[in-house]
Structure formats: C-alpha cells, structure tokens
Amino acid sequence: MHGPSGGFARRPVRMLRRRENAAFYRARVDKKLGAWTRKEEEARAARKAPPPGPHDIPLRDFRGVGAGHVVQAARELGWELSHDRPTDPERVVRLRRLPDPR
C-alpha cells in the first residue's frame, strides 16, 4: 500500500493492534453468531418464519482466529456449515441453522 509520496502509507495503530489480537476477532464472531441466534429464537417463539440468509461470516471477521473457531462457536449455538453454498475457509464461512428437534 503506497502513500501519495510514493512511500508506504502508515496504517493506523488501532488497526495493527487488532490484527495481533485474537480476542478482538473472537468477540466479533461471537457477536455476529449471537445476534443471528437471538433473531432465530425470537422468530421461533413468535411462530414466524426465520430471518432470511445469507448467514455468511467473511474473512475480515475471523482472520485472527481462523475458520475453525467460527465452526466450533457456531455448533455450540446450533448452527452448522451450509450444504447449499460451499464454504471457502480462506474467504468466507457459510452457515445454516439446524432444524428444531421437535
């Protein structure tokens, strides 16, 4: 990334700290999964259709923890990898909600 003077542009220190901080990325993934789970459960309680997808987590959200963390955290909340659309662990993790076991 080059700056206007031809040298390398400086990245904000805040951005560099994020790249080294796995807890930042874990929190980002957990927040997204939690919001999706909450919306799904609210729709189920109200006997409404679940919110439409896609339920994709892009690389920028899990870069510091890896796709494995996304899958593990998702399974704990009742999600699994989507079978309709393939996941590319280097770019995006695609999820779907497991059916209600009634």
Side-chain angles (χ1 to χ4, degrees):
M1 192 174 207
H2 294 283
S5 64
F8 285 97
R10 292 186 178 184
R11 293 183 185 237
V13 173
R14 183 177 46 186
M15 181 185 246
L16 293 174
R17 285 187 189 142
R18 281 187 205 155
R19 288 188 176 194
E20 298 172 0
N21 189 356
F24 170 81
Y25 290 101
R26 261 189 237 105
R28 192 178 238 186
V29 168
D30 295 344
K31 180 180 176 182
K32 188 169 274 195
L33 289 171
W36 288 345
T37 303
R38 186 179 63 255
K39 288 177 185 177
E40 290 269 341
E41 290 172 353
E42 288 171 356
R44 187 176 293 160
R47 296 185 177 210
K48 294 183 178 181
H55 300 291
D56 297 348
I57 299 185
L59 176 64
R60 71 176 174 268
D61 289 344
F62 68 86
R63 178 185 326 263
V65 291
H69 170 74
V70 175
V71 173
Q72 182 180 6
R75 285 207 175 135
E76 292 172 3
L77 295 173
W79 295 83
E80 68 178 12
L81 289 174
S82 176
H83 298 291
D84 302 336
R85 297 173 20 242
T87 290
D88 178 4
E90 294 180 6
R91 293 181 44 220
V92 65
V93 175
R94 295 187 166 108
L95 302 170
R96 70 180 186 121
R97 183 78 168 168
L98 292 171
D100 194 17
R102 291 183 194 183

